[in-house]
Amino acid sequence: MSSYNLTHLSQLEHEAIFVLREVAAQFERPALLFSGGKDSIVMARLAQKAFAPAKLPFPLVHVDTGHNFPEAIEYRDWFAEDVGARLVVRYVADSIKAGRCQEEKGPNPSRNGLQTVTLLDTIEEFKYDACLGGARRDEEKARAKERFFSHRDEFGQWDPKNQRPELWNLFNGRKNQGEHFRVFPLSNWTEMDVWQYIAREKLKIPSIYFSHQRRVVNRNGVLLAESPYITLLDGEHYEERTVRYRTVGDSTCTGAVESPASTLAEIIQEVASARQTERGTRADDKRSESAMEDRKKAGYF
Amino acid sequence: MSATPTTAAAPVHTDEHYLAMDLLRFTTAGSVDDGKSTLIGRLLYDSKAIFEDTLENLERVTEQRGEETLNLALLTDGLRAEREQGITIDVAYRYFATPKRKFIIADTPGHIQYTRNMVTGASTANLAIILIDARKGVIEQTCRHSFIASLLGIPHVVVAVNKMDLVDFSEARFNEIVAQYSEFASRLNIADIKFIPISALHGDNVVENSTRTPWYHGGSLLYTLETVYIGSDHNHIDPRFSIQTVIRPNNDAHHDFRGFAGRVAGGVFKPGDEIVSLPSGLPAVIKSIHGPEGELAEAFAPMSVAITLDREIDSSRGDLFAKPNNQPAVTQDIEAMICWFAPAKLNPGGKYILRHATRETKCAVKAVRYKVNINTLHKNTEDLSIGMNDIGRIHVRTAVPLMIDSYKRNRTTGSFILIEEFSNATVGAGMIMWTEGSERGQTEQFADMGGL
Ligand SMILES: Nc1nc2c(ncn2[C@@H]2O[C@H](COP(=O)(O)OP(=O)(O)OP(=O)(O)O)[C@@H](O)[C@H]2O)c(=O)[nH]1
Ligand SMILES: [Mg+2]
């Protein structure tokens, strides 16, 4: 008898495809949240594979804070066209204009939290009943508690104390009017798995993941990129550094890491010996002990 | 053995090595406060799998809480409510690798109120670490979790007798607990049980063997996790493929493509194989199999593929492909062990929604046959009320036929969940009992699961 073994990366791939297909089968109006970051790129790639040779059965949805890295936005548009997917973009700026939320004050006002408002409005506008997210359990301690199929009440809220049991691979996507689900096909992937997969699939990724020269300011240990949305404080100044990004979020709260890694192989080496978590560069998580949990309860990604 | 903060670093691995490593999924179990989360924290800490910023954060939070030693349980107890109460509420998943293996850890709650979350974490595990507080010995929750592990078919159990520091690392106490547990476990169906005396708080026998238990000659917990044999828990004998969805491209290039998408739940499928689609019984021949990396010569569990056939047959989500000479039972009557999660009791005669493989149907609970006494494992046929955290045996009748195997034979086609119609809550987990050849599976002795 031959040995029927799969590498763990393949196991993760098959698992994610199974989850993506469950979403297409169980929901009427699913959407895939796509930011142009590495996790959403991997998720979108898996979705392509899950439904090939047919097209993606859901649109790509991006909540644009207006503070995104231009490289990620360019990539997003290219990707949507390349896979022939419908791209829906909604802007935090519009939510602010409409008085749905308010710009933060301070030296680096972040629109990260405001995304929740725009996201929930978008979900309501299109009546999405399931939103696929690229979040992984290894990213953060509140995310470590997520189910694959994560229920959201009619206000878009997560109730971590009262999640549905999730047995085996039986996903219960039943819901009442107005409720929706967030689904995380990459739940069991680690940062390393994501990079290994990008390498295996030879996926194109936005250039900011690779080493480059950039003017940054060191604020509380986070290297923030020069941008019009940041006001320098006394004693702060921009300086040019050789950096790359480990995660791509809002530029006002995502820090760069100093790195010479300019190829996938070098990035993988770097990840393997990393001593900091990837979200260590996220100022949004540093705001308080339960910053992520609180945002997630309110309806964040 | 005390915790000197070391520089944390993830183990380095080359690509080929990393990709070839095998994977062990394990879960913690045992009563509240037996030290499960502390143990996971200790395991990660001593094997240097904690990142610097996580560690700094842990030190800061420990200090803020006015605690003297690093509170390792906080590594998995990440929710605000958990940290407030010092207990685990829901499963936390952690990932780590040593040079030998990759691990997915599910740290589950011991509190009886959250048994449903323990079952969630345990349902996908190949190994369970059952903790026992050395001072308390085997208590009801130890029994409940062990029985659930046995029901779920977890092949390996490591009994970690914890808090040995509080019983002076007494060999006699350890042996007493080993005897106590062995007596209980003889009625279960767990193939492999190992016992390790540990102190999660101080690290004894967690990663390194401890000098404080010179009488213990077995390996440390990590050594055991790295070396336990893990065969595939997939069935590669009985061909089973439940259809999730049908892929129809509707474009000129693939005009005639009709792919049945799903995940192989058992056996092996190859192009040219004759299949039957159930429940219709219609035969067909496999034309091609498409996997994530292109066309395949064979597909086996747990691969996600799309299968095309040589002819048009009416099959869709919820149907199942098997082979003519190896078919599951097609039935509306199901005998099963049920774990009950809802605060409201199981309603005999009540209607629920049942989800099995990719099929969802209404069902009615026709009978409760017995309830299991968790401490003695006796069948109680007098008190048949199944309340929250109870385990019992039921007979359900479904509105449409299901294609089933016994849980023992196949975890996918042998399991189901019950959903309450209006709240949509998942209220029960079922493990099917079925003997090939028996008409309704009613006569089967439950010797193959949980020892009942
Ligand atoms: N002395 C001693 N105390 C321990 C040991 N292991 C854990 N503890 C303490 O026992 C208490 C409970 O530990 P946890 O790890 O939170 O227990 P748990 O099993 O995860 O609890 P739940 O998840 O709520 O079921 C904490 O105060 C720990 O410090 C040990 O080996 N020795
Ligand atoms: Mg715990």
Side-chain angles (χ1 to χ4, degrees), chain B residues 247-281:
Chain B
I247 297 173
R248 298 241 42 181
N250 288 327
N251 61 31
D252 290 345
H254 303 279
H255 192 73
D256 295 324
F257 188 95
R258 186 153 173 259
F260 296 97
R263 198 172 190 191
V264 179
V268 183
F269 291 86
K270 297 189 174 113
D273 283 356
E274 194 179 330
I275 56 111
V276 279
S277 176
L278 297 171
S280 70

Side-chain angles (χ1 to χ4, degrees), chain B residues 146-179:
Chain B
S146 300
F147 182 52
I148 290 171
S150 167
L151 268 180
L152 287 170
I154 298 179
H156 307 280
V157 163
V158 176
V159 178
V161 179
N162 189 30
K163 308 199 185 182
M164 287 301 290
D165 54 304
L166 298 181
V167 297
D168 292 329
F169 294 92
S170 156
E171 180 179 13
R173 182 61 185 146
F174 177 72
N175 288 339
E176 213 174 344
I177 292 171
V178 171

Side-chain angles (χ1 to χ4, degrees), chain A residues 35-52:
Chain A
S35 64
K38 65 183 187 307
D39 302 315
S40 62
I41 293 168
V42 165
M43 175 168 65
R45 172 72 182 143
L46 288 159
Q48 264 186 301
K49 289 179 176 233
F51 304 100

